[in-house]
Amino acid sequence: DAMVLQAARLALPLILLDRKANLVDRGTSAGEGTALRILDLPLAKGLTLTVGIDPASGRIVRSSGTGGVGMGGKPLEFVTRYDDFRFVDGVLRPFREENYANGFVTGETILSRVVFPGSFAPETFRP
């Protein structure tokens, strides 16, 4: 369950676009000091991916994956907060992520640079 939730998070916003028919609009939430538009994407086996979108910029600033059972039989919740957005070759990218698992800090990722390859071999993204 943890791997499914993490893999779904890595595919944002592509997974939201690919599965837009399955999105559930939860309205606006004022949590964490700012109003965010909340969308849920149900996944397999009772798992849910939830995203918080800043209505002013359209940026995904928070994601969480919930459901399933983790260590000790507790429900899983992985939260990521995205910050320090910058354009790289015309692509908007967060350069900072804060990560939490069941309310505990698990890490912070800070990118110093992002480079996109000019092209990929055709077989690069085949299963």
Side-chain angles (χ1 to χ4, degrees):
D1 291 339
M3 295 306 293
V4 169
L5 292 172
Q6 292 292 57
R9 181 188 74 81
L10 291 174
L12 289 175
L14 180 61
I15 193 170
L16 300 177
L17 181 62
D18 286 348
R19 299 187 185 183
K20 63 184 171 187
N22 301 99
L23 291 175
V24 178
D25 188 341
R26 297 289 183 203
T28 301
S29 171
E32 299 183 30
T34 185
L36 298 178
R37 187 56 173 245
I38 307 299
L39 299 176
D40 280 353
L41 177 62
L43 302 170
K45 299 190 314 180
L47 305 175
T48 302
L49 177 64
T50 301
V51 296
I53 301 170
D54 175 6
S57 67
R59 296 175 182 169
I60 298 169
V61 296
R62 185 181 191 280
S63 68
S64 67
T66 56
V69 179
M71 294 185 345
K74 294 182 180 180
L76 293 170
E77 181 185 38
F78 295 107
V79 175
T80 301
R81 292 188 182 121
Y82 308 94
D83 196 11
D84 190 14
F85 290 87
R86 303 179 204 171
F87 281 97
V88 177
D89 294 336
V91 177
L92 186 62
R93 172 90 211 139
F95 273 63
R96 183 170 179 264
E97 293 184 3
E98 296 174 3
N99 299 291
Y100 304 84
N102 289 1
F104 293 95
V105 174
T106 58
E108 177 181 54
T109 303
I110 298 174
L111 303 177
S112 57
R113 72 183 182 118
V114 172
V115 178
F116 296 111
S119 64
F120 295 98
E123 66 275 1
T124 301
F125 296 105
R126 293 185 188 206

